[in-house]
């Protein structure tokens, strides 16, 4: 074990996304007010540390994104004067796509009404928030990831950051620097969807909610198009083609200023066909006549993919342990019906900050004190927002038509619907086994290079880069399964579900071999979620690696 430098903090926040930054900023403001009132003990914002694994704040932040500003308004009341808001929503609609036609619904269903919301770049917004946080004296460390939790008693006492300068065989290089041991009175996990530390914590202390977490995968491209092709402020959500009606999913098209359009496909990660390829489905989506015309003469600017925790209230883990809180996407704060999580992430961060202030003032960061976070969540607007959609995603388990029937009953019964609570299963359990000869290493979608692209071209547009000579951050716990059982049973779905072409079944001397192109990874976590045997464990790579979602 290398000798580690030890640092002590009052509060350690892992992840500089909207939840983590809102927690840091609100806590700093509360500490300032507390100190100004002359109350004891005096607290310092310098004892708040934030870790961000991206090369800079915002680099790993990806969303559609249409933001409901409610949370941000509470955090930064005058946000409209300085926040990088791209454009207010001026027109919203839902469209039904068949292969050749697009039908606009005559009225926009309430969950898809977006007037009053803003189309934003989440990357730019978090970068701006990060600047506000740093001005308060908080220590924000980019290019540092939380690799392991420090357990103490029945809770946690901080994290160990990743070792830097380790080669692909696990040996120290000349620039080897051991990770820091960061101890804190309160550690806040704000890692985003399927956080690797959150996964450890939930598993160790059995914090799971009523349902396992269920996910969707969002794949997005940002395009520059000729003037007049998409009005800024136009928001459309699409149903139907190319998403099979037996699946959960749909598209989005958001018109931004400067003739840019953000478009994507969100697909439930509980599909049955192990050979389904979400990236290819998204490429197909762009060939619809409505989109083809919109994108004609334009060019791809950026690409990204991320998973969304869609289980909502019933998939929420216990959010507190001794010395620890879980917030934001990591704790299931996302409304899957409205496709909105930024406002909930910010609010959850603020409520965590209020809870932490009480813990620091009383000197008691036990689970008993931190449990008031859950009470605050239940007393806030988060509860009615999530409670009304508590059965929403599960209702689509048997396809879109059944889902719409369930959604209609849920709409008129305040979320209860026909079955409450509606149970869910982990997405990887939904695969059907293959009924045929083993498939692996086949031809993959290439695209035309103008409207549609292969995955490597898209990865290039995600700005992803990693140090090549480092241990693989995609741990295959039982590699034999990949060449023995998986080809026959599921056809190696890792080759299909990964939107960054990381997994490749190669043939060497006639034998199958799993090749992992880890440096392509855009950190979406789909493999950790959808591997049928749950033998892929995504762990943090060296800090600073990963995508660069600047402007996304
Ligand atoms: Fe996503 Fe896993 Fe592929 Fe990385 S390797 S891009 S986390 S599916």
């Amino acid at each position: 074990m290398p000798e580690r430098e030890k640092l002590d903090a009052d509060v350690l926040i892992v992840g500089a996304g909207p939840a983590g930054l809102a927690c840091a900023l609100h806590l700093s403001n509360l500490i300032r007010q507390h100190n100004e009132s002359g109350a004891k003990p005096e607290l310092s914002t310098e004892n708040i540390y934030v870790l961000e694994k991206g090369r800079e704040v915002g680099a790993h932040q990806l969303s559609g994104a249409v933001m409901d500003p409610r949370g941000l308004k509470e955090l930064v009341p005058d946000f409209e004067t300085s926040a990088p808001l791209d454009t207010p929503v001026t027109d919203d609609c839902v469209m039904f796509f068949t292969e050749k036609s697009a039908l606009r619904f005559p009225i926009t269903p309430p969950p898809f009404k977006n007037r009053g919301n803003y189309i934003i770049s989440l990357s730019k917004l978090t970068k701006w928030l990060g600047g506000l946080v740093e001005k308060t004296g908080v220590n924000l460390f980019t290019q540092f990831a939380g690799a392991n939790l420090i357990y103490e008693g029945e809770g946690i006492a901080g994290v160990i950051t990743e070792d830097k300068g380790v080669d692909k065989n696990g040996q120290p290089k000349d620039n080897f620097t051991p990770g820091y041991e960061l101890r804190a009175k309160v550690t806040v996990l704000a890692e985003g969807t399927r956080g690797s530390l959150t996964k450890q914590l939930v598993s160790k202390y059995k914090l799971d909610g009523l349902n396992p977490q269920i996910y969707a995968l969002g794949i997005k491209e940002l395009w520059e198009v000729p003037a007049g092709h998409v009005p800024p402020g136009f928001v459309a959500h699409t149903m139907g083609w190319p998403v099979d009606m037996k699946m959960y999913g749909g598209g989005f098209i958001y018109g931004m200023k400067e003739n840019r359009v953000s478009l994507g496909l969100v697909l439930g990660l509980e599909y049955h066909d192990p050979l389904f390829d979400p990236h290819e489905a998204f490429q197909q989506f762009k060939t619809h006549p409505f989109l083809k015309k919109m994108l004609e003469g334009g060019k791809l600017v950026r690409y990204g993919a991320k998973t969304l925790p869609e289980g909502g209230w019933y998939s929420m883990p216990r959010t507190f342990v001794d010395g620890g809180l879980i917030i934001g996407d990591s704790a299931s704060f996302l409304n899957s019906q409205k496709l909105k999580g930024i406002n909930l992430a910010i609010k959850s961060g603020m409520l965590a900050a209020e809870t932490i202030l009480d813990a620091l003032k009383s000197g008691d960061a036990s689970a008993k004190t931190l449990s008031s976070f859950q009470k605050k969540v239940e007393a806030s607007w988060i509860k009615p927002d999530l409670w009304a959609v508590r059965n929403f995603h599960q209702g689509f388990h048997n396809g879109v038509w059944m889902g719409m029937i369930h959604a209609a009953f849920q709409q008129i019964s305040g979320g209860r619907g026909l079955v409450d609570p509606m149970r869910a299963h982990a997405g990887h359990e939904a695969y059907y086994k293959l009924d045929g000869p083993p498939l692996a290493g086949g031809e993959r979608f290439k695209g035309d290079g103008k409207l549609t692209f292969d995955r490597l071209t898209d990865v290039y547009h995600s700005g992803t880069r990693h140090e090549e000579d480092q241990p693989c951050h995609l741990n295959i716990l039982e590699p034999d399964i990949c060449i023995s059982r998986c080809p026959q049973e599921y056809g190696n779905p890792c080759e299909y579900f990964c939107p960054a072409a990381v997994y490749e079944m190669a043939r060497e001397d006639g034998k199958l071999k799993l090749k992992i192109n880890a440096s392509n990874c855009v950190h979406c976590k789909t493999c950790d979620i959808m591997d049928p045997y749950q033998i892929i464990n995504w762990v943090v790579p060296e800090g600073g690696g990963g995508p660069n979602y600047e402007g996304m």
Side-chain angles (χ1 to χ4, degrees), residues 53-76:
K53 67 182 168 62
R55 68 195 73 159
E56 58 178 15
V57 175
H60 289 184
Q61 298 303 317
L62 182 73
S63 178
V66 175
M67 181 186 69
D68 174 346
R70 189 173 184 179
L72 188 58
K73 202 176 172 78
E74 289 183 20
L75 180 67
V76 186

Side-chain angles (χ1 to χ4, degrees), residues 359-419:
L360 295 179
K361 285 198 298 192
S362 65
D364 175 7
S366 65
K368 189 161 174 272
T369 304
L370 298 182
S371 68
S372 72
F373 171 63
Q374 190 62 31
K375 294 189 192 97
K376 286 179 171 57
V377 167
E378 296 195 12
S380 75
W381 50 262
I382 291 180
K383 172 83 190 265
D385 194 80
L386 288 183
W387 190 245
V389 296
R390 62 194 181 277
N391 292 308
F392 181 75
H393 185 117
Q394 302 95 297
F396 286 80
H397 189 68
N398 291 316
V400 172
W401 300 124
M402 275 309 293
M404 286 173 74
I405 293 168
H406 280 299
F409 279 102
Q410 289 161 12
Q411 190 74 28
I412 53 176
S413 61
R416 190 194 179 287
L418 298 172
V419 187

Side-chain angles (χ1 to χ4, degrees), residues 141-209:
F141 300 104
T142 54
Q143 307 192 15
F144 280 92
N148 286 298
L149 288 166
I150 301 171
Y151 293 105
E152 204 168 83
E154 289 298 300
I156 52 175
V159 306
I160 310 241
T161 63
E162 89 288 4
D163 293 338
K164 293 182 189 297
V166 180
D167 75 13
K168 57 178 184 289
N169 300 313
Q171 296 304 311
K173 295 188 283 191
D174 291 347
N175 60 346
F176 175 72
T177 316
Y180 292 91
E181 185 176 318
L182 298 179
R183 290 189 165 261
K185 292 170 186 158
V186 184
T187 303
V188 184
L189 300 182
E191 303 174 281
T193 184
R194 191 79 162 190
S196 45
L197 296 179
T198 307
K199 187 176 144 184
Q200 286 177 29
L201 185 70
V202 169
S203 161
K204 181 169 173 79
Y205 293 128
K206 302 195 174 21
L207 307 179
D208 298 272

Side-chain angles (χ1 to χ4, degrees), residues 237-269:
H237 289 99
T238 73
M239 291 173 57
W241 193 89
V243 184
D244 188 298
M245 294 307 270
K246 293 194 195 87
M247 280 177 62
Y248 175 89
F252 64 84
I253 306 158
Y254 303 152
M256 303 174 81
K257 65 184 183 192
E258 292 161 359
N259 302 315
R260 283 167 308 131
V261 57
S262 158
L263 68 155
L265 204 57
V266 178
L267 298 156
L269 288 178

Side-chain angles (χ1 to χ4, degrees), residues 474 497-500 502-503 520-528 538:
L474 301 148
F497 58 55
C498 172
V502 169
Y503 300 95
N520 290 352
C521 178
V522 296
H523 297 199
C524 73
K525 317 283 179 71
T526 306
C527 51
D528 198 290
W538 191 100

